[in-house]
Amino acid sequence: MSTILETSISAEQLHAALRDKTRDLAFGDERMSLFEPLRLEIANAIHGFAARPADGAASPRYDAARIASDQAAALVEAAVPQQHRAALVAGVRNAAAALAAATKAAGPFAGFAGALRLSTAASPVRIVAPRDIALGAAAQDAPPEPEGANYYQKLTNLFPAEGLALYGTGVALYSGANALVVLVSLAVLGVLRWVAYGAGGGDQGARVLAVAAAGVSFLLWATATDPKWLAAFLTVSDTASEQIRHGAAFAGAAAVLLIPLVVRVPTKD
Amino acid sequence: LAGGGCREARRATDRPAPQRHSNEEQTMRRRYGLAAIALIAALGGCGANALRLEMAGSVSSSATAVVDQSNAAIARARAARVAANAALIASDASCSPGSDTVYIYVPNAQFDSRTPPPPLCARPAPAGGFSPRPGYDVAAVSVAPLPEDAIKPTLALIGAIADYQGALAKIVAEPNADVQKELEAIAAKASSAKTLAEGVTGAKLPTLPDLKSKQATSAIALLQFVADLVKEARKTADVRRLVVQRGPQVMAIVPQLREQLALWHGIVQGTDLATQTNSLLRVYEQEKQLPGSTFDQRRSFVERINAALADEAGLPAKQAALNTVLDEFVAVHAALVDALNGKYTPEMRRRIAKLNEQRLLSALKLAAEAFASWGVL
């Protein structure tokens, strides 16, 4: 796990190694044709990395950039005049790319986490102390972001479209509804929704309810489409199967109406 | 706490001063007088408060140094970026100003040092993209100023320390009451009121006691001494409240500020200073070959390069100075917290003892003079 500062220091050591080569007369024209453009690229990557939102915490996602920088720095330091440069160039470019990646990617779920956030609480505070002290009440009074306000948007938010897409794919692959497809889809849906409703320290109870609502909607919808998957758990006659299907369709319709009343989805008004 | 005793002493002196009634009460008055002297002396013994306020003053100056130097460091980093961007663009005729990004040729794995190097900047090709150069890719390099959004958290950290400093300085700098001045103002008002009343009524009203009389002077001196000590105790209590409430938060900020300064001032500025120097070096290599280049031109250019190199070489020392200022702030703050909690170093104990001794003597002297001039003793 590397912190922003540790990663920056590694990048700075690579930069210093390149800079030293640009000043070393033994390297002749390579000072400006090879080392200086590489140095500029690393400097640019450092600028970008420094300007990224600072969360201060160590993160495994900086490790790649740090390791690449350290390796490249070793290559540059060891470079002697009149040498094949492929490895050195590849190493430095790789470090620049890794730094750029660390600048952009804030984790595998970064863009996703909190996308359907339930709470209207502000995004997580990056640097805690100055908000408390310097910015004080002004920071607290920032208006909440406008979020889905009307009923249809609520329904869209709660309707588990991604689960259904997975389920559809599974049914196509296994040529028919079976318990495995339904349960796997349900599990994936649960995880996705859990992440998507989360982030920012919202109301955990509402999060659980919303995930449960999505799961129930999905099960009802899957049953209403084809109740055969229930055969894995109980013996269902064809007549009963049809009744279950109708029942599930009704319950699904009822759920669509009832769930928004139970699950608190933020509204502006 | 050492301050506890001081507060009790203060409360005790709030008792009404004994008044002269009759000769029969002479012994009683004498006892009161002696007790009052003892209490004033005890109050004067709170040298620790003086030391604490002095330390709060040091914390305040130290915080001012942190704020000033941190702001200066950010300003230097900003200026270095602007200068580096200009130098980079101007260093090669292939680069043009007017955009936040320049595109430069960066070697790739096919780099061969025998092929003639491309210009620094890549120009867009008519067909889109950039004219390709064997052994090189084109990379975008930002020539924008330091992004203000990214610096804002650092400035907020500095602002938080500045707020703390301001609050401390305000407490420490609060003026003590000037008893003589207050009494003179009251006397002046009373005197003009008396003149007015005499003019209206035609009667001769009694004159106010003279503030310059021996009794009044000694009483004022004693009052001033007590007022100062009470004020000192109040200020110490205010400092204690501020340090308890805000101190831990501010101290938690210091490591964050240290990191931010290391990043912006040490690392990012370092790359910009290197860009300035190397841009000058690139231009020097080009221009020294020109037929019209003279010794004087080359010499002044070399001097500029040397100055840029010296700037670069001086950066670690400036960074170390920043860290020293932060270290000192942490150290004096910790010492203040210790002093407020009654934990003293042997040197502090010696100073407190000395202060107490001096104050005890002044208290005794002032009290004795006052009570003697009033005839209590």
Side-chain angles (χ1 to χ4, degrees):
Chain A
M1 296 262 279
S2 309
T3 63
I4 292 176
L5 188 63
E6 285 167 345
T7 311
S8 308
I9 288 171
S10 285
E12 143 67 13
Q13 277 161 358
L14 169 58
H15 175 268
L18 287 164
R19 183 197 59 208
D20 291 348
K21 290 290 185 271
T22 63
R23 314 274 167 84
D24 188 342
L25 296 178
F27 287 89
D29 287 347
E30 279 190 335
R31 284 179 297 153
M32 285 295 154
S33 66
L34 173 69
F35 292 110
E36 176 61 3
L38 290 175
R39 186 196 68 76
L40 281 170
E41 193 179 27
I42 291 297
N44 188 58
I46 290 174
H47 292 172
F49 188 67
R52 64 174 302 295
D55 49 21
S59 164
R61 67 178 195 269
Y62 302 142
D63 289 348
R66 192 180 173 191
I67 291 166
S69 297
D70 288 344
Q71 287 172 344
L75 285 170
V76 174
E77 276 161 16
V80 290
Q82 314 284 323
Q83 216 180 11
H84 197 55
R85 299 295 185 208
L88 182 145
V89 170
V92 176
R93 302 292 308 273
N94 181 36
L99 275 168
T103 303
K104 278 178 204 147
F109 289 109
F112 190 57
L116 297 173
R117 196 165 53 238
L118 296 162
S119 157
T120 48
S123 304
V125 177
R126 298 294 185 188
I127 289 189
V128 178
R131 283 185 78 105
D132 292 338
I133 295 167
L135 307 177
Q140 309 294 324
D141 295 343
E145 295 164 33
E147 297 199 35
N150 66 42
Y151 185 73
Y152 297 103
Q153 280 169 330
K154 286 183 196 176
L155 284 185
T156 320
N157 276 354
L158 292 167
F159 193 68
E162 66 275 44
L164 303 183
L166 263 176
Y167 173 72
T169 315
V171 168
L173 277 176
Y174 289 92
S175 48
N178 70 43
L180 182 70
V181 172
V182 170
L183 293 182
V184 167
S185 301
L186 184 65
V188 173
L189 171 72
V191 171
L192 287 180
R193 289 267 154 168
W194 181 254
V195 175
Y197 285 137
D203 180 352
Q204 291 300 307
R207 194 176 173 188
V208 171
L209 255 181
V211 172
V216 169
S217 300
F218 168 72
L219 285 180
L220 289 173
W221 187 87
T223 312
T225 320
D226 190 346
K228 263 186 250 145
W229 69 276
L230 288 170
F233 306 101
L234 40 107
T235 323
V236 191
S237 69
D238 280 353
T239 340
S241 168
E242 197 59 17
Q243 281 167 358
I244 288 174
R245 204 166 76 82
H246 287 307
F250 174 77
V256 161
L257 288 172
L258 293 177
I259 284 169
L261 301 179
V262 180
V263 181
R264 192 174 56 84
V265 173
T267 56
K268 218 165 68 168
D269 38 31
Chain B
L1 294 185
C6 302
R7 267 186 232 123
E8 277 166 32
R10 190 175 76 227
R11 272 198 293 277
T13 52
D14 290 344
R15 277 184 219 158
Q19 291 171 354
R20 247 190 274 185
H21 288 298
S22 71
N23 289 337
E24 289 156 13
E25 290 177 346
Q26 186 73 29
T27 326
M28 189 64 86
R29 282 206 306 273
R30 199 157 286 190
R31 274 187 199 155
Y32 270 132
L34 285 169
I37 290 177
L39 287 169
I40 291 164
L43 187 59
C46 298
N49 281 347
L51 190 73
R52 286 164 176 158
L53 284 183
E54 194 184 299
M55 292 172 80
S58 317
V59 171
S60 164
S61 343
S62 179
T64 307
V66 166
V67 170
D68 290 351
Q69 299 214 19
S70 303
N71 279 326
I74 295 294
R76 278 200 297 273
R78 271 202 193 104
R81 168 63 60 85
V82 170
N85 290 342
L88 179 70
I89 294 170
S91 72
D92 198 284
S94 62
C95 307
S96 302
S99 162
D100 276 352
T101 309
V102 292
Y103 295 91
I104 63 166
Y105 285 109
V106 181
N108 62 26
Q110 281 76 50
F111 172 81
D112 185 346
S113 58
R114 288 163 300 183
T115 53
L120 176 66
C121 291
R123 288 247 174 90
F130 296 93
S131 35
R133 290 282 182 153
Y136 286 89
D137 296 334
V138 173
V141 166
S142 164
V143 284
L146 281 194
E148 288 303 317
D149 275 0
I151 302 176
K152 218 183 263 171
T154 314
L155 297 179
L157 294 174
I158 299 171
I161 293 178
D163 285 355
Y164 189 56
Q165 184 277 329
L168 259 184
K170 201 176 152 203
I171 295 172
V172 174
E174 225 169 80
N176 287 5
D178 186 338
V179 176
Q180 172 83 35
K181 219 170 116 191
E182 299 286 328
L183 287 179
E184 271 170 10
I186 292 167
K189 271 185 197 158
S191 167
S192 49
K194 177 174 167 282
T195 316
L196 193 69
E198 279 173 351
V200 173
T201 60
K204 183 85 180 151
L205 296 173
T207 322
L208 279 169
D210 183 8
L211 284 176
K212 301 276 185 295
S213 75
K214 203 184 165 206
Q215 277 104 331
T217 316
S218 59
I220 289 169
L222 183 61
L223 270 176
Q224 183 70 57
F225 181 77
V226 174
D228 285 353
L229 293 176
V230 169
K231 183 77 186 177
E232 191 179 82
R234 284 205 184 128
K235 281 183 183 178
T236 307
D238 288 347
V239 166
R240 183 193 305 278
R241 200 174 307 119
L242 179 73
V243 168
V244 166
Q245 280 176 357
R246 303 260 299 270
Q249 287 173 306
V250 171
M251 284 301 111
I253 281 176
V254 172
Q256 291 186 48
L257 180 60
R258 194 189 294 268
E259 270 201 19
Q260 294 291 309
L261 290 176
L263 194 60
W264 291 110
H265 182 259
I267 295 176
V268 172
Q269 189 188 199
T271 65
D272 288 327
L273 292 178
T275 300
Q276 286 182 51
T277 312
N278 284 5
S279 299
L280 289 172
L281 285 169
R282 178 184 299 108
V283 176
Y284 184 78
E285 292 300 320
Q286 291 162 6
E287 293 195 347
K288 74 177 182 186
Q289 313 285 355
L290 296 178
S293 131
T294 65
F295 164 75
D296 280 343
Q297 285 172 350
R298 290 197 297 273
R299 188 183 60 180
S300 69
F301 211 125
V302 168
E303 281 169 0
R304 281 180 72 182
I305 292 171
N306 287 345
L309 283 167
D311 272 357
E312 268 190 79
L315 185 60
K318 284 185 180 142
Q319 190 62 37
L322 274 177
N323 284 332
T324 309
V325 167
L326 286 167
D327 288 343
E328 197 189 304
F329 177 50
V330 171
V332 293
H333 193 273
L336 173 63
V337 170
D338 278 352
L340 288 171
N341 289 327
K343 284 186 218 153
Y344 304 112
T345 61
E347 198 204 332
M348 281 155 84
R349 279 186 198 288
R350 273 196 296 279
R351 281 212 51 203
I352 292 171
K354 204 168 179 183
L355 279 167
N356 284 346
E357 195 185 302
Q358 283 168 359
R359 287 167 167 227
L360 201 67
L361 286 175
S362 337
L364 286 171
K365 185 169 156 274
L366 287 167
E369 274 173 13
F371 290 125
S373 70
W374 299 338
V376 174
L377 286 176

